Amino acid sequence: MTLRLDILLFIAALGGVSLFCRFGGYVLMRYVRFTPPIEAGLKAAPLAVMCAIVAPAAFRGGLLEWLALAAILVASRFFSNDLVTAMIGLAIVAGGRAFGTV
Amino acid sequence: MNGTFTKAGLQRGFLAAQPLALGIFVYGIAFGLLCIEARITLAESMTMSAVVYSGSAQVVAIQSVQSGQPPVGAALLGVLGTILLLNARYLLYGASIRPWLAQSPPHLAYPTLLMLGDGNYVLSMKRRLEGETDAGFILGSGLATFVPWVGGTAIGLTGTTYLVDPSKLALDFLLVAFSAAMGASMAKSKGDLPMVVTACLVSIALSQLSPGIAIFGAAVAACCVAAWLSTRVSAPATTEEKAAS
């Protein structure tokens, strides 16, 4: 369990940047008045993050990933449970890769 | 909405995030293997995973370590600047989660922020929209992904190679599938469309740089569009506004 000082200092610097990002927005909003535009902007963040995770994967992905995402979109209309919906997409990708499709 | 922070909420979050944990665990192992190449010890690697807890940022950091020697001077500043950009999305996560989390005492709120990751952030915010009021859910779902990340790092350091190929199990598609499922059930109003289109286009444009930067850029752009649209009286209601009414 060796801990070297230079590496620890490096990790501390990384941790400082990480803490700034993790606490910065939270602390800043303590001093910002929640006007309707700010509230509307922040409320849009979760959906935007989801889109930003999915869109590049879809853009880079092949037929299998497109099929899986299409199946997730369709399944979300029939199942209220996100886990079930996501598993359908995962099964398509895993199944397709296992059988060497795409 | 009055906020609570209970053990029951923590347990709910922990269980709800279990499907994400397997993917995080495997990527933790991959990070551990990178640490071996960089000649970082087990204790140092686990400390980094616990303190930084950001896959993309840690990969950049570990690649800057040459034969066990950390970068210094301008090289160090370059690494820190890159990590600031990669982790800038957490500024937005913290800002947007504040209305919920700030109802909890600081000794619970700040550790919760340390456990925040992409997966448990989107999961928690989705549950919030569905009526979850217990901020313990955020910490619970964060722990469910934090523990496998640190544990996976440790196992990777032992030199364990994959028993199975993670891409065969579609583990690289895990977060994408969950985000797509949650996003599809969340965006059901026409009012969400401008933000969805903006986020998709900006994230694709920035995805060559890094996933973290793409998420940050897309979220900032979509938030700006939402803020601007809210100033227009005739703008159609978003899913959030419909849920609230």
Side-chain angles (χ1 to χ4, degrees), chain B residues 153-198:
Chain B
T153 303
I155 289 173
L157 255 294
T158 64
T160 308
T161 48
Y162 304 124
L163 296 174
V164 289
D165 181 356
S167 70
K168 284 268 185 201
L169 291 176
L171 292 178
D172 56 324
F173 197 71
L174 193 71
L175 184 58
V176 176
F178 273 91
S179 297
M182 289 188 281
S185 62
M186 202 168 164
K188 280 180 174 164
S189 120
K190 265 195 225 170
D192 296 318
L193 195 61
M195 281 73 85
V196 168
V197 172
T198 304

Side-chain angles (χ1 to χ4, degrees), chain A residues 39 43, chain B residues 1 128-131 237-245:
Chain A
E39 206 168 335
K43 278 182 177 172
Chain B
M1 234 183 270
R128 170 73 166 168
L129 191 65
E130 290 168 351
T238 62
T239 306
E240 282 269 1
E241 288 159 355
K242 281 190 174 174
S245 63

Side-chain angles (χ1 to χ4, degrees), chain A residues 2 4 22 26 41 82 97, chain B residues 41 44 53 116 126 167 172:
Chain A
T2 316
R4 289 163 293 176
R22 287 179 179 279
Y26 183 81
D82 297 331
R97 287 177 184 174
Chain B
T41 68
E44 291 162 351
Y53 183 41
L116 218 49
K126 169 84 190 328
S167 70
D172 56 324

Side-chain angles (χ1 to χ4, degrees), chain A residues 1-4 6-7 10-11 13-15 17-27 29-30 34 36-37 40-57 59 65 68-69 72-73 76-77 82-83 85-87 89-90 93-94 97, chain B residues 19 39-41 44 51-53 61 64 68-71 76 83 87 90-91 93-96 98-99 101-102 109-110 113-114 116 121-122 125-126 167-168 170 172-174 176 178-186 188 200 203-204 207 218 222-223 226-227 230:
Chain A
M1 294 292 274
T2 316
L3 284 165
R4 289 163 293 176
D6 56 349
I7 294 287
F10 179 53
I11 294 172
L14 299 172
V17 175
S18 183
L19 273 188
F20 170 77
C21 294
R22 287 179 179 279
F23 293 167
Y26 183 81
V27 172
M29 292 317 289
R30 184 178 175 182
F34 271 75
L42 290 177
K43 278 182 177 172
L47 185 58
V49 171
M50 291 171 199
C51 293
I53 291 169
V54 176
F59 186 70
E65 286 77 13
L69 289 172
I72 288 171
L73 281 179
S76 71
R77 304 290 149 189
D82 297 331
L83 179 60
T85 313
M87 286 304 166
L90 273 176
V93 175
R97 287 177 184 174
Chain B
R39 296 187 192 170
I40 300 289
T41 68
E44 291 162 351
V51 170
V52 183
Y53 183 41
S64 71
Q69 295 300 310
L76 174 61
I83 287 168
N87 280 352
Y90 289 106
L91 289 166
Y93 293 178
S96 60
R98 183 172 179 96
L101 193 56
Y110 283 98
L113 290 170
L114 293 177
L116 218 49
Y121 168 76
V122 291
M125 295 306 270
K126 169 84 190 328
S167 70
K168 284 268 185 201
D172 56 324
F173 197 71
L174 193 71
V176 176
F178 273 91
S179 297
M182 289 188 281
S185 62
M186 202 168 164
K188 280 180 174 164
C200 288
S203 63
I204 289 169
S207 62
C223 290
S230 75

Side-chain angles (χ1 to χ4, degrees), chain B residues 58-74:
Chain B
Q58 286 179 237
V59 168
V60 168
I62 217 70
Q63 283 172 344
S64 71
V65 176
Q66 303 289 327
S67 302
Q69 295 300 310
V72 290

